[in-house]
Amino acid sequence: MLAGADVDAGLDHFRAKLPAAKAEGYQFPAEVVVNLLLKVDRPAEALAVAREYLAGADERQLSCPGVTELARKVGDY
């Protein structure tokens, strides 16, 4: 996926895990998806995932950029 092959299928695979992880109180899968989206140059999609799954997270504890940083990067406040 990071090499450019089947990017959408790869992202769909990881996105499919997000609702169950959220229901169980895990945010790390969302952090992974945000990082993957940034690596494939889709910052607006990364912001959308962060807004939905990481909005209440302490941004200092994330392994990816948080909502505030992504909003600044995209220019979407």
Side-chain angles (χ1 to χ4, degrees):
M1 184 184 96
L2 294 177
D6 297 324
V7 173
D8 289 324
L11 289 170
D12 289 344
H13 169 79
F14 287 102
R15 281 186 177 135
K17 298 177 182 300
L18 296 180
K22 183 178 182 179
E24 293 179 18
Y26 297 115
Q27 68 187 33
F28 186 69
E31 295 174 48
V32 170
V33 171
V34 167
N35 282 324
L36 288 172
L37 286 164
L38 291 174
K39 287 183 189 245
V40 297
D41 197 31
R42 296 186 183 184
E45 290 179 49
L47 175 58
V49 170
R51 281 183 174 152
E52 184 171 351
Y53 295 98
L54 302 174
D58 181 352
E59 293 191 13
R60 297 170 296 171
Q61 303 296 320
L62 295 175
S63 64
C64 67
V67 173
T68 305
E69 184 177 340
L70 290 167
R72 265 190 233 123
K73 180 176 182 145
V74 174
D76 181 0
Y77 302 96

